[in-house]
Amino acid sequence: MKPLLIATEPIDYSIAFANGLAQHMAPTVIAPARHYRSLAGWFDPAVTLRLVDWPRTRSAANLAFLWRLLQMVRGERPDLVHLLSNTALWLNAAAPLWRSLPLVTTVHDVTVHPGDSETARLPDWPARLIARQSRDLVVHGASLKQAAAARFGKPERNVHVLQHPAIRRYTDLGAREGLQRSSPTSEFRVLMFGRIYAYKGLRTLVRAEALLANRLPRLRIVIAGRGDDPLQLRGEMGVPERYDVRRRFIDDREVAQLFLDADVVALPYDEASQSGVLHLAAAFGKPVVVTDVGELAATVEPNRIGLIVPPGRPDCFGEAIARLAEDRRLLETLGENARAWSEGPNAPATVGAAAAALYRQLTAL
């Protein structure tokens, strides 16, 4: 069969998903050139990549673009169309014209995270409407399945769980360029990476560090990514000098180096559905400390890839960091488990096999 994937964002997820599916059936991917042109080489050769000049959301050029997109989809003659995100507003106008095909949409976040100002700039109704117009939805966990069915008015039989695959692009980049750990082995380095917004629990991490000021003198906290300014919490930091704050876009090579240099990856979220950062950390064999929100605990606990604490508890979060810093054997065991999980049950090819089976099921209806 021939699946057609339409990929806007998240970019790393879309690449990993397409590459995993390509191990089982050859997909065509339509994607915005401005996001994917420089990354085209990361797609598996079995993926047919169609880069298009995709207008920005508020551009009137979207009307002409939609006509070209519809013609392109018709020319591909797919058996199924899968939107890898529900956040592209203008695809709502195309969905009614794809009713002869199974239309599947991946919903990464059932609701907008509190404090996520970047996502909140867009209206919520397009994400809800495209989900309602799709025959089937994909989410990344059992609890999200129930939430999506309720929010979008779908029978649970039309909401399917596919894991978020491991993100291996940065590990491959590090290996290709011969990158090695560069941080001093005398440090214990905790990395918080990604979009840093209120729901990510930055204050929990900062207060945890303050509680560890005397217990872990070699602790180093690295906060990297765009979003809120971590230095606004300087007054709550125990030892501000042990923070390395990189509040900006992080290029691919630097991402690889950050994860190679980390001992632990911190996900102190106050609220979440799932986390791509977790799947990136696992590919580097890095254990995580996560809060019990969304699907995080359900992912971490059975695979033994990190420690889980209640949300909003800096004391518990700090204790988990200290436990890993003081127990090298536990740290290494969790890291080995994370790498094995990313190369086995969470490997893109494993997730791709589940996606291929789902596509066959949906086209047989």
Side-chain angles (χ1 to χ4, degrees), residues 139-146 159-163 273-274 295:
V139 294
H140 300 311
S143 66
L144 300 177
K145 175 175 181 172
Q146 296 173 340
V159 184
H160 313 277
V161 176
L162 291 177
Q163 288 189 90
S273 50
Q274 40 73 42
E295 288 293 313

Side-chain angles (χ1 to χ4, degrees), residues 174-196:
R176 188 177 72 190
E177 298 200 7
L179 300 181
Q180 301 288 333
R181 177 169 179 146
S182 62
S183 57
T185 55
S186 60
E187 291 182 353
F188 188 79
R189 187 168 287 221
V190 176
L191 172 64
M192 184 175 181
F193 175 79
R195 298 186 309 145
I196 311 299

Side-chain angles (χ1 to χ4, degrees), residues 211-266:
L211 293 172
L212 297 172
N214 297 321
R215 184 171 174 181
L216 296 180
R218 62 191 182 97
L219 180 64
R220 180 79 163 162
I221 306 289
V222 181
I223 302 170
R226 66 187 190 273
D228 298 337
D229 185 3
L231 294 180
Q232 290 181 343
L233 299 176
R234 184 180 179 89
E236 299 184 48
M237 296 175 179
V239 184
E241 292 73 26
R242 65 181 176 191
Y243 283 81
D244 176 356
V245 176
R246 310 183 193 188
R247 186 187 174 215
R248 52 179 167 77
F249 171 79
I250 311 296
D251 67 33
D252 290 355
R253 196 176 194 279
E254 187 177 0
V255 171
Q257 193 65 63
L258 283 169
F259 279 85
L260 285 168
D261 288 345
D263 293 290
V264 170
V265 176

Side-chain angles (χ1 to χ4, degrees), residues 69 83 109 147 211 226 272 298 301 311:
L69 178 64
L83 311 183
D109 297 310
L211 293 172
R226 66 187 190 273
E301 193 276 331

Side-chain angles (χ1 to χ4, degrees), residues 98-225:
W98 289 332
R99 284 181 177 158
S100 61
L101 294 168
L103 178 61
V104 183
T105 295
T106 293
V107 176
H108 296 276
D109 297 310
V110 177
T111 57
V112 176
H113 300 299
D116 184 351
S117 58
E118 185 174 293
T119 302
R121 286 200 299 264
L122 297 174
D124 181 53
W125 67 263
R128 287 186 283 109
L129 181 58
I130 195 65
R132 290 177 181 274
Q133 291 195 87
S134 302
R135 193 179 81 181
D136 291 88
L137 302 178
V138 166
V139 294
H140 300 311
S143 66
L144 300 177
K145 175 175 181 172
Q146 296 173 340
R151 177 165 166 74
F152 303 118
K154 296 285 184 190
E156 287 197 22
R157 66 178 178 274
N158 292 103
V159 184
H160 313 277
V161 176
L162 291 177
Q163 288 189 90
H164 188 305
I167 297 174
R168 304 204 54 82
R169 185 165 71 85
Y170 302 97
T171 51
D172 294 344
L173 174 64
R176 188 177 72 190
E177 298 200 7
L179 300 181
Q180 301 288 333
R181 177 169 179 146
S182 62
S183 57
T185 55
S186 60
E187 291 182 353
F188 188 79
R189 187 168 287 221
V190 176
L191 172 64
M192 184 175 181
F193 175 79
R195 298 186 309 145
I196 311 299
Y197 290 112
Y199 76 95
K200 293 292 185 75
L202 177 60
R203 178 170 266 110
T204 295
L205 177 61
V206 168
R207 290 178 173 175
E209 176 274 326
L211 293 172
L212 297 172
N214 297 321
R215 184 171 174 181
L216 296 180
R218 62 191 182 97
L219 180 64
R220 180 79 163 162
I221 306 289
V222 181
I223 302 170

